[in-house]
């Protein structure tokens, strides 16, 4: 599960009328809660009860799917949360964020970068550093309902990140980010994801090469 920041809880804005975007599997202190028109589902609300009706941003827990999964201790049902998120994005349109190389892709038949699936979904590979993360944090974004040419502008940041998520390389002395920083989505990325989801519509067409 990811979120945009730690610290004091943001002022939560009630959603009046139909929400423009839903966010599933957010943290309790999520920055998304301060965004107008965003329906945020944290652990207390239980994202599995989301009724649908809007495109969505999904940040399902990733520890059972990432490269350090052998050292994780997820709850028995935790992997099913990511599978649920994939199903809802394929129904309603939107974007799911997970670490690059997540085994969720093979488990759910998600397309690798450069391909599409039967829902016309495709995968964007990009580091969260581009949106202000302290570390590179290579990520995959599974997108349904928005063409590559129609997504919001992507910032490009060159050079190495000042921090690393985790490194065993003896020659790399950059400091590690904290556990909380691994979970937090940069505010700029949160806003970008909401804008992207707002442009998404459900899609169900045969797979093609990216165009």
């Amino acid at each position: 599960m990811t979120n945009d920041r730690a610290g004091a809880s943001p002022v939560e804005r009630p959603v009046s009328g139909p929400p423009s975007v839903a966010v599933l599997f957010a943290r309790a202190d999520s920055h998304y809660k301060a965004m107008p028109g965003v329906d945020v589902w944290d652990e207390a609300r239980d994202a599995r009860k989301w009724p649908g009706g809007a495109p969505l941003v999904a940040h399902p827990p990733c520890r059972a799917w990432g490269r350090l999964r052998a050292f994780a201790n997820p709850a028995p049902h935790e992997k099913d949360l990511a599978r649920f998120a994939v199903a809802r994005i394929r129904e309603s349109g939107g974007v799911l964020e997970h670490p690059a190389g997540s085994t969720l892709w093979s488990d759910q038949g998600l397309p690798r970068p450069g391909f599409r699936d039967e829902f016309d979904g495709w995968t964007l590979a990009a580091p969260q550093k581009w949106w202000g993360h302290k570390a590179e944090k290579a990520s995959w974004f599974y997108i349904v309902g928005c063409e590559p040419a129609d997504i919001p502008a992507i910032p490009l940041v060159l050079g190495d990140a000042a921090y690393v998520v985790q490194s065993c390389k003896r020659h790399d002395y950059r400091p590690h980010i904290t556990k909380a920083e691994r979970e937090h989505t940069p505010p700029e990325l949160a806003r970008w994801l909401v804008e992207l989801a707002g442009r998404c519509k459900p899609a169900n067409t045969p797979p093609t090469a990216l165009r």
Side-chain angles (χ1 to χ4, degrees):
M1 188 181 300
T2 61
N3 186 38
D4 48 292
R5 67 174 184 179
S9 297
V11 176
E12 185 168 358
R13 297 188 181 186
V15 178
S16 58
S20 59
V21 169
V23 175
L24 305 189
F25 305 107
R27 286 172 51 104
D29 60 353
S30 174
H31 182 74
Y32 287 110
K33 292 183 177 181
M35 296 183 183
V38 178
D39 186 19
V40 183
W41 290 73
D42 56 16
E43 186 175 6
R45 291 188 73 189
D46 190 351
R48 293 169 296 182
K49 298 179 181 178
W50 178 62
L56 60 103
V57 176
H59 293 291
C62 62
R63 60 181 174 174
W65 302 100
R67 62 186 179 89
L68 298 178
R69 60 189 178 277
F71 304 100
N73 186 29
H77 71 281
E78 198 166 293
K79 293 185 82 170
D80 288 334
L81 301 180
R83 296 179 179 121
F84 170 87
V86 170
R88 299 316 295 262
I89 283 188
R90 285 171 166 170
E91 291 172 0
S92 300
V95 54
L96 178 148
E97 173 267 326
H98 244 215
S102 168
T103 55
L104 177 63
W105 263 243
S106 58
D107 183 88
Q108 292 296 289
L110 302 181
R112 295 234 168 199
F115 297 90
R116 293 186 189 259
D117 62 15
E118 62 185 294
F119 301 88
D120 219 17
W122 57 283
T123 297
L124 169 69
Q128 293 193 24
K129 179 188 73 173
W130 289 355
W131 289 272
H133 203 287
K134 293 169 65 175
E136 186 82 5
K137 200 174 182 187
S139 300
W140 282 356
F141 301 91
Y142 174 59
I143 301 166
V144 175
C146 188
E147 289 297 304
D150 297 329
I151 66 174
I154 298 176
L156 175 63
V157 178
L158 302 178
D160 294 330
Y163 292 75
V164 294
V165 174
Q166 188 166 13
S167 176
C168 297
K169 298 178 181 178
R170 294 189 177 185
H171 65 273
D172 192 341
Y173 294 99
R174 288 177 295 173
H176 293 182
I177 58 174
T178 65
K179 178 180 182 294
E181 288 169 334
R182 290 200 301 270
E183 295 180 350
H184 300 152
T185 302
E188 286 299 321
L189 177 55
R191 286 188 281 271
W192 187 87
L193 291 170
V194 167
E195 182 179 352
L196 169 59
R199 301 183 185 191
C200 290
K201 306 297 179 185
N204 190 358
T205 57
T208 61
L210 284 183
R211 55 182 183 271

